[in-house]
Amino acid sequence: MDDTLVTSPLQISKRKRLNQRSKTIIYLVLGLTFLLLIAVAGTLLSHAAITTNFMQKNLLPSLQYPFGTDWLGRDMLARTLRGLSISIVIGLFASFISAMIAAILGTAAATLGKTVDEVITWLVDLVMGIPHLLLLILISFALGKGTFGVIVAVAISHWPALTRVIRAEILQLKETNYVKIAGKMGRGKLEIAVKHMVPHVFPQFLVGLILLFPHAILHEAALTFLGFGLPPEQPGIGIILSESMRYLSLGMWWLAVFPGLALLITVLLFDLAGGSLRKLIDPYSAQD
Amino acid sequence: MTCLDHKHILQIDNLSVSFTQYERGLRQIDLKVIHNLNVSVHEGELVAVVGASGSGKSLLAHSILGILPPNCNASGNIIFDGELLDAARIRQLRGKEIVLVPQSVSYLDPLQKVGLQVRKGRNDKHIRRKQEELFSLYDLPEDTGGLYPFELSGGMTRRVLLSEAMMGNPRLIIADEPTPGLHLEAAQNAMSHFRQFADQGQGVLLITHDIDLALKVADRIAVFYAGTTVEEALVTDFQSIDTLRHPYTKALWRALPQNGFHPFPGNQPYVKDMPKGCPFGPRCHQFTPECEEDIPEHIIRCGTVRCIHAE
Amino acid sequence: MILEAKDISFGYKKNANILENFQFTMENQERVGILAPSGWGKTTLCQILSGYTKPQEGRVLLNGQDIHKIKGYCPVQMIWQHPEKSVNPRLRMKEVIAEGDDIEERIIDQLGIERDWFNRFPGELSGGELQRFCMARALGKRTQFLIADEISTMLDLITQSQIWTFLLTEVKQRGIGLIAVTHSRSLMDHIATRQIILDDIDS
């Protein structure tokens, strides 16, 4: 063979990019830091968020007040952070409860026989069939609004999608050759569940939980914005946004833009983190 | 690289394909699935690449067609009709001069009638006529064009896939396991169309795990072992063990049921534990320390072999 | 020991049975080779005989007992065509082999399974290596019948001859009944004491 033979490129050149695992870790670290910062800041600033100062009202964003002040002279940065931290706590609770419901119902539907499956599938369809916001409003209203009402409303309306995922995953696992073989080897149901099912379904569950979180925050904000959620003393992001509506026409854009952006960033960050985590847990995606 | 003085259609020199995979944590490693692979197809030839499934021989087809997944890297020279190909040129040629006949029905769109698929959505008169000619050439009933893939039998599907490949007047057909699950006689039958095509002066590269089939239909056989071709031999060389060159090919010959079905100890090495030098080294009874160095390709009796002890 | 299939009918669609009134009996010292074209329903037949699939009609009996009524370890074991689907991609090979019924060291050695494969995941082994694990797993102490569904189709010839040579000695020695489905006539001639050849409808 001739050593001087030129080698031609056989693949269209690819740009260098971060690998999936690094990306996921960056998103997760960013998300968690963000979460922690907001939670800490929110607690520290709980007083500043409601302190009024009529000497400093309606100020444009400046160095002293990066997010500006509102019509009562309250620092919008403090209010935004406080609002986010309230939203995040509610979101955490709600998505956790929701995911637990999904795990229990999804597993039950897939393992406890036809009747149970039909009932749960019907329930899933039912909850999914009712317009989301309507359901949220009804439940929250029935429970007397407030933090408790919001948490329960968001938790009760968000489980169906994840329930479907878990049910489908388990049903699919039951049909795999290796699970069927384990059965023929005389392995008990519990052993198969622990060895084959949990390690497969748990990561899916975790991703589902993380992806539920931004949803829960958004819906909490929406509910509060419409006046069916938190009381005005608790400045959740929804409250801040709905209050600022009245002043938007007066040209006070900063009242809505910064809290809105902060909400958007939080939600996006967790959505990205959850999404890239989902790509990672696929056992066949070792390449990439 | 044989004594045949026919013109080369395809010549692959030193093809290597590797892909990036995660190790533990964030580390990624390069797995070399194919290394230093040489194979050539002459005019009028049907060449079979024979190797175990999952050993990476499909990647050979994919790199000739430039359809490797994005995490793959390929290097080496592919010379087609005297022209050194690069990625852009491969894109122009594939589907026209170089075509793939894939394994199975899953390569057909289940929601489109097969006639339209074979014509790639075009409906001009001469293309339609060409498709009808091909269907009748391959004994497909006239109304086949109006059927959906699920309405075809296995044999019809194979012939439809072949017609689709033939639409572009190809020079080279790459057939990747075109006869899965068929027993020898049926597979041989199905291969007759490929034989005809080669006999018209074109080339066929058949990629298969079925050495029985390869022995029946091919002109030459390239023996694929652990990511490389250890030997390229004429089919007639397989009539006796003495005309074969590489110790692995000899072991393969002895393992044929008609030659005694003799097992040979050891395993093909997994890509991560590839030995130095000759991949067959650890299993070889002729092993010497020199086998751990780079093994050049020798030409012996009109065939090529990568073994320093071959004669 | 006797494995019987009585009046088996099975189909995925109505009025299009792939098996119609299928009868089959074998004893444990027999080695039955079944040669059938693709699409005939060989895998379905294997799954029915080993109790993975319930036929619409008829019964499969092991020593007179309905195979679906057997609790615990099933003495009729099947080795599947695709080893990569027969093992959980998340388990290490030592956990895979531990699922079997007390697999003897001797079997592991004779199959050429190397000890350092035990700590690997299925994705880190070749098809031939995985199939050896699947074979070892199916050869538990209580196995009486073994159904092999095209187990070597995807493997290279040397691996084929290795695993078949081992399997033949093993089933002869232990008196395990073997059903081998294949599409290679020469392989069947080599292993079977009785041959069932099903007609080729596909060309």
Side-chain angles (χ1 to χ4, degrees), chain A residues 106 110 162-174 201:
Chain A
L162 187 56
T163 305
R164 271 194 181 168
V165 171
I166 290 174
R167 171 180 171 272
E169 285 294 336
I170 296 179
L171 283 182
Q172 200 194 333
L173 269 176
K174 276 169 78 179
V201 177

Side-chain angles (χ1 to χ4, degrees), chain B residues 52-53 154-155 158 181-183 209 211 248 251-252 255-257 261-268 270 272-273 283, chain C residues 38 112 117 120 123-125 129 132 153-154 156-158 160-162 164-165 183 185-187 190 200 202-203:
Chain B
S53 299
R158 264 189 298 283
L182 286 189
H183 68 71
H209 69 271
I211 191 166
Y248 174 70
L252 205 59
L256 281 167
F261 210 49
H262 295 298
F264 185 83
N267 285 291
Q268 289 210 15
Y270 173 65
K272 277 189 198 166
D273 359 276
R283 292 170 80 181
Chain C
S38 63
W117 299 351
R120 290 196 181 162
E124 300 170 323
L125 292 171
E129 291 162 355
R132 289 166 212 252
T153 314
M154 297 314 207
D156 75 296
L157 204 65
I158 293 180
Q160 271 187 40
S161 74
Q162 282 174 354
W164 277 112
T165 307
H183 65 252
R185 221 175 275 258
S186 49
L187 179 66
H190 192 79
D200 192 358
D202 190 280
S203 59

Side-chain angles (χ1 to χ4, degrees), chain A residues 6 8 11 14 20-21 286-287, chain B residues 22 25 70-72 77 85 87:
Chain A
V6 223
S8 66
Q11 285 228 306
K14 297 169 291 182
Q20 191 68 41
R21 287 191 187 176
Q287 307 88 14
Chain B
Y22 283 106
N71 60 328
C72 269
N77 290 308
L85 301 187

Side-chain angles (χ1 to χ4, degrees), chain C residues 41-182:
Chain C
K42 289 177 288 193
T43 300
T44 311
L45 176 63
C46 287
Q47 290 182 20
I48 289 172
L49 287 176
S50 50
Y52 281 99
T53 305
K54 247 191 180 149
Q56 269 121 0
E57 277 166 57
R59 292 191 304 162
V60 177
L61 304 172
L62 175 69
N63 306 326
Q65 191 192 5
D66 192 319
I67 195 157
H68 288 282
K69 300 226 167 84
I70 295 173
K71 293 265 176 289
Y73 189 81
C74 180
V76 183
Q77 286 291 331
M78 171 170 170
I79 309 173
W80 300 65
Q81 182 178 1
H82 300 287
E84 64 284 356
K85 290 187 195 160
S86 309
V87 292
N88 187 339
R90 290 171 193 276
L91 293 186
R92 286 180 196 278
M93 295 322 294
K94 59 180 171 208
E95 297 170 280
V96 170
I97 201 97
E99 274 197 329
D101 177 36
D102 242 338
I103 308 304
E104 291 171 72
E105 294 280 310
R106 173 186 65 80
I107 293 177
I108 290 166
D109 291 335
Q110 285 172 2
L111 271 168
I113 293 174
E114 285 165 29
R115 297 296 142 148
D116 64 312
W117 299 351
F118 274 62
N119 276 320
R120 290 196 181 162
F121 289 100
E124 300 170 323
L125 292 171
S126 71
E129 291 162 355
L130 274 182
Q131 193 63 298
R132 289 166 212 252
F133 275 99
C134 292
M135 290 170 66
R137 182 176 58 176
L139 282 166
K141 287 210 169 108
R142 284 173 282 176
T143 303
Q144 294 169 10
F145 287 90
L146 195 63
I147 300 179
D149 178 20
E150 300 249 28
I151 58 168
S152 63
T153 314
M154 297 314 207
L155 310 177
D156 75 296
L157 204 65
I158 293 180
T159 314
Q160 271 187 40
S161 74
Q162 282 174 354
I163 64 177
W164 277 112
T165 307
F166 161 76
L167 206 56
L168 271 181
T169 7
E170 183 73 14
V171 295
K172 276 184 203 164
Q173 231 171 46
R174 286 170 55 182
I176 294 175
L178 176 72
I179 300 177
V181 174
T182 173

Side-chain angles (χ1 to χ4, degrees), chain A residues 14-32:
Chain A
K14 297 169 291 182
R15 70 198 159 87
K16 189 99 181 117
R17 58 194 177 106
L18 274 175
N19 70 34
Q20 191 68 41
R21 287 191 187 176
S22 316
K23 241 196 272 178
T24 310
I25 289 178
I26 290 173
Y27 286 140
L28 276 177
V29 167
L30 270 180
L32 285 175

